[in-house]
């Protein structure tokens, strides 16, 4: 078959997927007697909507076989970096979990996601065009991690477990276990998810040949997620409590060259954190499902302790010395009201109104002395109207937010406390979207604009070093960072949920970036604001069904194609260019991703995922070799009437994924290399213990209930 035939046939493949899901059953197919009915809804692997892309984790073994961070790194166009944060198709992501901001960043966020098993994730929503109903502080885009499974009537249970290993200098084990219990009766429903993970790993780091580190890491994580729902007449009350306990031990062999003197030593890092979260939601029910009134309040506490002891071996042996002893405590309170109702405008319309209050209190201490007290208060009101006319959809929103940020930081030289640079301002954030439905539910074209803001995160503000440090390495935050203002534009053409081409442009003012400089034999890292940064990003995704190579055209037209049951290759590519005044000739970089799904005999599914990033500027970093280069393989099959799923997998098969870059913001350039034990092999499995009641009906997820009747996905953050 000629290559030029691939595009039109792939288009037919997309339309066949759609009609296969919509084709009604013929009357003759009905049975005369039915004792019990079981309805199974097949989840889409990838679903694209006007403002977001949804990736299903629960039914995708190649995504849910390891930890959550590993699963996220397999999503085309998503880049996770401790230097640059989390970026999707050129947009920096604010990380949410179950509809609420995580408010943890940098290495703490990485450790948190590494400690969360991927098979505890239901789906990932990447919201690229957050409207007025979302906080303006969401910045350019949002990634919302939806956890747990759907609850069922009567008691049911699901067990999930996994084991993987790496074998570099020696054998290291990584495993996780979780249990989800669900129950519902005529008075109330409840859900409980408990789990743990254990992860042994290694990291080798080199900075300008003056510092070489070998890290032997042990990370432990335990979590509990609980939910209760009560029906009060027609209304509903939901209560959630989540607890996460994390700890890590790092044993570091170090080599250092400082002021012409070589030294070696052994250091130990002990870090622990606790996260508590309580949420209460009251939902007022109406006869009209498009009408909504919801009240929600939540409280989150996150505490972190970081300690480092060091022992010099050469040139002069020493006993263990306490090098770092830092801690932080964060409290977040928020309350919101959301109201929506249909309105008579054009063919049909909807009006949404709401109010939001958020207060963040963050304090940090160094050896027991408080050296940062940071407070941020946000009050917001929003209004958003949507309407439809023929094949056109319109959205227009306006959000006003008032910020009051202040605090104090300790000046170690004077011993006094200085006031932080205050930020007290009211700002208005508009958003607008126009969508033309070329073929309703099949293909659409949309244009979006929104203005957003990002407040500096506490990891960048914290003046303490919460990473490894020695004579050569000094990390610190900048308590005087200013908020970043974003103007986001996007145009996108999509066919069904699998093919798309889009372009987005972001103009950022006061963009926060990581600054790495070398002064003598000391590497300094902190954060600073850039006056302006412009980002251009072009991305395209396209599926190719393998049936086109061995099936006559007339037979393809007759096929009932479900993308989760056919073999295909998905191609993704993007080009990103960042324009910063300090970089004279910026170089963009390409991202290439190829994902192949192959249906083998006995309903076995083989998946291969390869991602490669070319060289190009990322803020003030330029790679000496590819930022990301990895091949992941998985083989999965369902057993016992599809109650049990077993997956064998191998990540970074060729051991090619590493960070190897140089800085470009100042001379001399600093060369940084980090290599983790990313090549791992393992297995994962889930088992759904069946309920005794064959007619048990599926009810909404309790652990992350963020109700929106029209789609079932988490919409209100």
């Amino acid at each position: 078959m000629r290559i030029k035939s691939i595009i039109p046939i792939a288009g037919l493949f997309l339309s066949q997927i759609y009609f296969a899901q919509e084709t009604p059953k013929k009357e003759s197919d009905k049975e005369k007697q039915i004792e019990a009915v079981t309805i199974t809804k097949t989840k889409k692997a990838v679903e694209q909507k006007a403002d977001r892309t949804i990736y299903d984790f629960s039914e995708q073994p190649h995504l849910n076989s390891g930890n959550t961070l590993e699963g996220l790194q397999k999503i085309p166009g998503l880049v996770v970096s401790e230097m640059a944060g989390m970026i999707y198709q050129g947009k920096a992501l604010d990380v949410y979990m179950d509809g609420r901001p995580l408010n943890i960043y940098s290495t703490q966020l990485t450790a948190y996601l590494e400690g969360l098993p991927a098979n505890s994730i239901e789906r990932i929503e990447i919201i690229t065009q957050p409207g007025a109903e979302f906080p303006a502080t969401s910045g350019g885009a949002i990634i919302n991690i939806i956890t747990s499974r759907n609850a069922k009537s009567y008691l049911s249970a699901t067990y999930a477990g996994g084991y993987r290993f790496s074998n570099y200098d020696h054998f290291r084990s990584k495993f996780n276990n979780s249990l989800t219990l669900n129950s519902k009766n005529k008075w109330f429903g409840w859900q409980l998810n408990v789990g743990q993970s254990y992860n042994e790993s290694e990291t080798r780091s080199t900075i300008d040949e003056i510092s070489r580190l070998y890290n032997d890491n042990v990370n432990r994580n335990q979590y509990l997620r609980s939910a209760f729902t009560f029906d009060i007449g027609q209304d509903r009350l939901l209560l959630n409590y989540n607890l996460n306990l994390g700890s890590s031990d790092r044993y570091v062999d170090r080599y250092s060259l400082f002021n012409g003197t070589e030294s070696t030593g052994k250091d130990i890092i002990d870090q622990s954190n606790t996260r508590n979260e309580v949420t209460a939601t009251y939902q007022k029910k109406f006869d009209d499902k498009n009408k909504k009134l919801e009240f929600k309040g939540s409280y989150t506490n996150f505490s972190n302790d970081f300690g480092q002891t060091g022992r010099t071996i050469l040139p002069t042996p020493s006993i263990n010395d306490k090098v770092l002893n830092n801690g932080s405590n964060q409290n977040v309170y928020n309350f919101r009201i959301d109201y929506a109702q249909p309105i008579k405008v054009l063919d049909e319309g909807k009006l949404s109104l709401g109010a939001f209050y958020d207060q963040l209190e963050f304090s940090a201490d160094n050896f027991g002395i408080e050296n940062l007290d940071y407070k941020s208060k946000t009050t917001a009101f929003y209004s958003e109207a949507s309407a439809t006319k023929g094949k056109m959809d319109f959205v227009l929103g306006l959000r006003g937010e008032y910020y009051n940020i202040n605090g104090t930081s300790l000046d170690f030289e004077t011993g006094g406390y200085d006031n932080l640079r205050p930020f007290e301002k009211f700002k208005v954030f508009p958003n607008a979207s126009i969508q033309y439905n070329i073929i309703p539910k099949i293909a659409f074209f949309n244009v979006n604009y929104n203005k957003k803001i990002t407040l500096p995160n506490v990891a960048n503000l914290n003046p303490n070093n919460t990473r490894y440090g020695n004579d050569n390495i000094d990390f610190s935050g900048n308590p005087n960072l200013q908020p970043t203002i974003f103007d986001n534009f996007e145009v996108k053409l999509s066919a069904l949920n699998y093919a798309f081409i889009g372009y987005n442009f972001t103009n950022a003012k006061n963009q926060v970036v990581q600054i790495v400089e070398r002064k003598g034999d000391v590497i300094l890292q902190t954060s600073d604001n850039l006056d302006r940064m412009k980002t251009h990003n072009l991305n395209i995704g396209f599926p190719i069904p393998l049936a086109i190579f061995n099936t006559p055209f007339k037979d393809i037209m007759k096929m009932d194609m479900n993308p989760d049951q056919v073999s295909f290759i998905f191609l993704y590519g993007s080009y990103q260019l960042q324009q910063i005044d300090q970089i004279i000739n910026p170089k963009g970089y390409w991202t290439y991703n190829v994902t192949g799904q192959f249906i083998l005999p006995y309903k076995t599914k083989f998946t291969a995922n390869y991602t490669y990033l070319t060289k190009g500027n990322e803020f003030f970093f330029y790679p000496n070799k590819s930022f990301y280069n990895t091949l992941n393989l998985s083989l999965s099959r369902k057993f016992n009437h599809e109650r049990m799923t077993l997956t064998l997998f191998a990540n970074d098969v060729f051991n090619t994924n590493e960070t190897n870059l140089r800085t470009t913001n100042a001379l001399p350039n600093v060369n940084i290399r980090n290599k983790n034990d990313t090549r791992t092999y393992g297995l994962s499995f889930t088992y759904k213990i069946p309920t005794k009641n064959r007619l048990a009906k599926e009810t909404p997820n309790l652990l992350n209930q963020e109700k929106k009747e029209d789609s079932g996905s988490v919409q209100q953050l």
Side-chain angles (χ1 to χ4, degrees):
M1 178 174 292
R2 296 179 180 178
I3 296 299
K4 66 181 181 180
S5 301
I6 292 177
I7 294 178
I9 294 179
L12 290 171
F13 165 72
L14 294 170
S15 60
Q16 285 293 316
I17 293 172
Y18 173 73
F19 288 114
Q21 295 168 347
E22 299 294 325
T23 303
K25 275 200 168 187
K26 295 180 181 179
E27 193 70 24
S28 60
D29 292 337
K30 293 182 178 179
E31 297 291 340
K32 292 182 180 181
Q33 293 182 349
I34 302 178
E35 295 181 358
V37 177
T38 301
I39 299 175
T40 302
K41 182 179 179 181
T42 301
K43 298 178 181 179
K44 297 179 180 179
V46 182
E47 184 176 1
Q48 288 199 25
K49 297 189 175 182
D51 65 339
R52 71 192 63 198
T53 303
I54 302 171
Y55 293 89
D56 174 54
F57 264 52
S58 63
E59 300 296 332
Q60 304 302 310
H62 74 287
L63 296 179
N64 65 29
S65 55
N67 61 53
T68 299
L69 183 64
E70 292 171 339
L72 292 176
Q73 290 174 330
K74 297 173 187 177
I75 293 177
L78 180 63
V79 177
V80 183
S81 166
E82 290 184 1
M83 294 288 188
M86 201 173 291
I87 298 173
Y88 179 74
Q89 296 182 1
K91 293 186 176 183
L93 295 172
D94 201 9
V95 183
Y96 282 57
M97 180 166 285
D98 297 331
R100 294 174 290 275
L102 268 179
N103 290 313
I104 53 178
Y105 310 92
S106 188
T107 54
Q108 295 175 6
L109 175 62
T110 301
Y112 183 84
L113 296 176
E114 284 180 336
L116 188 66
N119 53 24
S120 69
I121 303 302
E122 181 75 15
R123 65 186 182 276
I124 301 294
E125 296 184 339
I126 301 180
I127 305 164
T128 53
Q129 292 297 330
E133 61 182 316
F134 299 96
T137 51
S138 59
I142 294 169
I143 180 169
N144 191 21
I145 302 170
I146 311 298
T147 61
S148 96
R149 301 290 188 266
N150 285 337
K152 291 184 177 181
S153 300
Y154 303 91
L155 180 65
S156 63
T158 300
Y159 171 78
Y163 174 81
R164 63 194 192 283
F165 66 90
S166 63
N167 191 6
Y168 283 65
D169 62 325
H170 67 268
F171 194 87
R172 289 180 169 85
S173 296
K174 314 160 196 285
F175 59 83
N176 61 270
N177 297 277
S178 68
L179 178 67
T180 302
L181 300 174
N182 313 274
S183 182
K184 192 177 189 304
N185 54 46
K186 62 181 181 180
W187 297 287
F188 68 94
W190 62 268
Q191 190 173 63
L192 179 67
N193 177 228
V194 293
Q196 61 82 223
S197 66
Y198 175 85
N199 185 359
E200 298 175 349
S201 62
E202 72 162 45
T203 304
R204 298 177 185 269
S205 303
T206 303
I207 303 179
D208 268 0
E209 300 301 331
I210 61 173
S211 175
R212 292 197 298 270
L213 307 173
Y214 170 75
N215 299 264
D216 196 357
N217 311 315
V218 179
N219 298 317
R220 304 172 184 86
N221 184 268
Q222 299 87 37
Y223 61 91
L224 177 150
R225 307 182 68 83
S226 63
F228 298 87
T229 178
F230 302 89
D231 292 327
I232 305 174
Q234 290 187 344
D235 301 339
R236 179 179 293 172
L237 173 66
L238 298 107
L239 301 176
N240 296 77
Y241 172 69
N242 301 325
L243 171 66
N244 192 93
L245 303 173
S247 65
S248 64
D249 299 315
R250 293 173 58 188
Y251 305 92
V252 183
D253 292 334
R254 59 177 164 87
Y255 163 84
S256 176
L257 176 63
F258 185 75
N259 291 338
T261 301
E262 294 183 313
S263 65
T264 60
K266 291 183 177 295
D267 300 323
I268 300 175
I269 295 174
D270 181 14
Q271 185 170 12
S272 62
N273 58 73
T274 302
R275 178 182 173 87
N276 286 277
E277 183 177 48
V278 180
T279 303
T281 305
Y282 186 84
Q283 298 172 337
K284 178 69 177 176
K285 291 289 190 72
F286 299 94
D287 293 335
D288 186 348
K289 291 185 177 181
N290 291 317
K291 191 174 182 179
K292 182 186 75 172
L293 178 60
E294 183 174 279
F295 304 86
K296 182 169 66 175
S298 68
Y299 164 72
T300 303
N301 172 264
F302 182 80
S303 61
N304 182 71
D305 291 304
F306 180 92
Q308 178 181 329
T309 58
R311 177 167 61 91
T312 300
I313 298 175
L314 294 174
T316 304
S318 69
I319 61 175
N320 283 349
D321 296 321
K322 195 72 173 180
V323 179
L324 294 172
N325 184 16
N326 298 321
S328 64
N329 187 67
Q330 176 179 277
N331 293 302
V332 181
Y333 311 83
N334 64 59
F335 177 77
R336 65 178 299 152
I337 303 174
D338 295 287
Y339 175 76
Q341 72 167 40
I343 56 175
K344 294 182 179 180
V345 58
L346 302 179
D347 293 343
E348 60 177 330
K350 182 179 178 182
L351 177 65
S352 300
L353 303 169
F356 174 79
Y357 176 78
D358 181 88
Q359 179 174 319
L360 184 148
E361 301 172 352
F362 180 80
S363 61
D365 62 84
N366 178 261
F367 284 95
I369 300 175
E370 184 177 282
N371 58 349
L372 176 65
D373 181 19
Y374 173 87
K375 292 182 175 65
S376 170
K377 298 179 182 178
T378 303
T379 305
F381 303 90
Y382 77 86
S383 175
E384 187 172 77
S386 59
T388 299
K389 179 64 176 178
K391 291 186 176 183
M392 302 291 292
D393 296 330
F394 306 92
V395 177
L396 185 63
L398 198 64
R399 187 179 182 96
E401 295 199 350
Y402 171 73
Y403 307 99
N404 185 357
I405 301 174
N406 57 73
T408 58
S409 64
L410 176 64
D411 187 328
F412 283 100
E413 294 183 0
T414 64
Y417 285 86
D418 299 328
N419 290 326
L420 302 179
R421 188 188 307 171
F423 184 83
E424 188 172 357
K425 189 173 292 186
F426 175 79
K427 295 191 72 66
V428 176
F429 301 90
N431 69 282
S433 176
I434 299 176
Q435 178 170 304
Y436 175 62
N437 300 295
I438 303 170
I439 304 175
K441 296 184 180 181
I442 296 180
F444 62 84
F445 173 78
N446 65 41
V447 181
N448 294 281
Y449 165 75
N450 64 60
K451 180 183 284 288
K452 294 292 180 181
I453 187 173
T454 293
L455 304 181
N457 67 60
V458 293
N460 290 332
L461 292 167
N462 191 347
N464 297 325
N465 185 359
T466 55
R467 304 182 186 180
Y468 174 84
N470 58 28
D471 290 339
N472 300 112
I473 304 172
D474 183 15
F475 296 100
S476 63
N478 180 358
N480 285 300
L481 291 173
Q482 292 294 287
T484 305
I485 306 294
F486 297 92
D487 286 290
N488 302 304
F489 304 84
E490 184 178 60
V491 293
K492 191 173 186 179
L493 175 66
S494 296
L496 278 176
N497 303 308
Y498 297 90
F500 60 89
I501 181 171
Y503 166 78
N504 64 67
F505 168 75
T506 297
N507 185 23
K509 181 181 179 181
N510 288 331
Q511 173 70 53
V512 176
V513 296
Q514 297 293 307
I515 302 295
V516 179
E517 297 179 300
R518 178 173 176 176
K519 294 184 178 180
D521 288 337
V522 178
I523 307 298
L524 302 171
Q525 179 175 322
T526 187
S527 301
D528 205 353
N529 290 111
L530 291 179
D531 290 337
R532 293 281 180 183
M533 188 180 83
K534 298 178 180 179
T535 303
H536 305 264
N537 191 273
L538 174 69
N539 55 86
I540 183 171
F542 201 81
I544 300 176
L546 298 188
I548 65 174
F549 297 105
N550 56 16
T551 306
F553 180 77
K554 62 179 182 179
D555 292 337
I556 290 179
M557 293 297 294
K558 298 176 183 178
M559 291 177 65
D560 254 355
M561 291 188 180
N562 184 320
D564 296 322
Q565 299 175 3
V566 299
S567 299
F568 67 89
I569 295 175
F570 184 81
L571 304 177
Y572 170 82
S574 72
Y575 177 76
Q576 180 182 139
L577 174 65
Q578 294 179 344
Q579 295 177 311
I580 301 172
D581 292 340
Q582 292 87 336
I583 299 179
I584 304 301
N585 295 310
K587 295 182 180 179
Y589 64 84
W590 286 92
T591 300
Y592 303 107
N593 176 270
V594 180
T595 299
Q597 174 179 281
F598 308 94
I599 307 301
L600 305 179
Y602 304 105
K603 295 184 178 180
T604 302
K605 183 185 294 184
F606 174 70
T607 303
N609 181 289
Y610 177 70
T611 302
Y612 181 81
L613 275 68
T614 65
K615 295 182 180 180
N617 290 101
E618 180 65 35
F619 297 118
F620 286 129
F621 303 101
Y622 192 85
N624 296 318
K625 46 190 307 190
S626 170
F627 265 123
Y628 194 79
N629 177 17
T630 186
L631 172 66
N632 304 304
L633 305 175
S634 70
L635 191 67
S636 64
R637 189 181 187 279
K638 294 186 176 183
F639 301 89
N640 193 16
H641 304 289
E642 298 193 348
R643 294 192 187 104
M644 178 177 176
T645 302
L646 177 65
T647 303
L648 303 176
F649 61 89
N651 294 329
D652 194 16
V653 175
F654 297 115
N655 197 31
T656 49
N657 196 24
E658 69 174 73
T659 299
N660 191 332
L661 51 85
R662 69 176 186 272
T663 62
T664 59
N665 53 285
L667 295 175
N669 299 146
V670 178
N671 287 277
I672 302 171
R673 181 180 182 270
N674 292 314
K675 182 68 181 83
N676 299 328
D677 56 342
T678 51
R679 181 167 59 187
T680 60
Y681 307 91
L683 60 87
S684 68
F685 59 93
T686 59
Y687 181 67
K688 301 176 183 179
I689 302 173
T691 175
K692 293 182 179 180
N693 190 313
R694 297 179 64 191
L695 299 179
K697 295 181 180 179
E698 195 172 271
T699 59
N701 192 323
L702 304 181
L703 290 181
N704 47 60
Q705 181 69 25
E706 303 286 335
K707 186 174 180 296
K708 188 151 185 175
E709 297 286 356
D710 57 349
S711 67
S713 64
V714 173
Q715 302 279 336
Q716 300 292 330
L717 303 190

